[in-house]
Amino acid sequence: MITSLRNIAVTLVAACTIASVSAAAPSHVDITWMSIANMYFEVGALGILTYMLVLGPVVAKTRRWLVFGSVQLQPSEFVKLVVALLVAKIFAESKKD
């Protein structure tokens, strides 16, 4: 119980810190590097999904997990982040027009 309350408190402090730092950041910062990085993320996400479809290991009769020794990861979590970045990029470019 105490551990979960401590985790919640740390999460709230981190969220407030991130929110205050991002609110104080200047809005005129050049972030063209992000569009280049986003392209690599998109290609990487497609590569991971293609690998999982073709060569992914079967775990519990599904091909949803990447296995690195004793660690198993779901690539869909990475792809969700990439899709969110892609949608944000699309909305930002539509506002420029």
Side-chain angles (χ1 to χ4, degrees):
M1 177 76 173
I2 294 175
T3 304
S4 62
L5 290 176
R6 183 176 23 172
N7 289 342
I8 291 171
V10 168
T11 303
L12 287 174
V13 168
C16 290
T17 303
I18 290 170
S20 63
V21 168
S22 64
S27 61
H28 63 281
V29 175
D30 183 27
I31 56 170
T32 55
W33 62 270
M34 187 176 274
S35 64
I36 296 169
N38 196 21
M39 179 186 68
Y40 287 116
F41 289 151
E42 293 165 6
V43 170
L46 286 175
I48 288 173
L49 290 178
T50 303
Y51 168 77
M52 293 304 298
L53 181 65
V54 177
L55 301 171
V58 177
V59 176
K61 299 182 184 176
T62 62
R63 292 181 187 262
R64 296 181 186 161
W65 297 90
L66 283 173
V67 180
F68 298 108
S70 63
V71 178
Q72 296 179 353
L73 301 172
Q74 275 191 316
S76 63
E77 299 303 321
F78 171 69
V79 173
K80 286 178 193 176
L81 176 63
V82 172
V83 168
L85 290 172
L86 179 63
V87 170
K89 182 174 106 176
I90 290 171
F91 282 147
E93 289 176 357
S94 70
K95 282 198 163 201
K96 288 181 184 177
D97 297 334

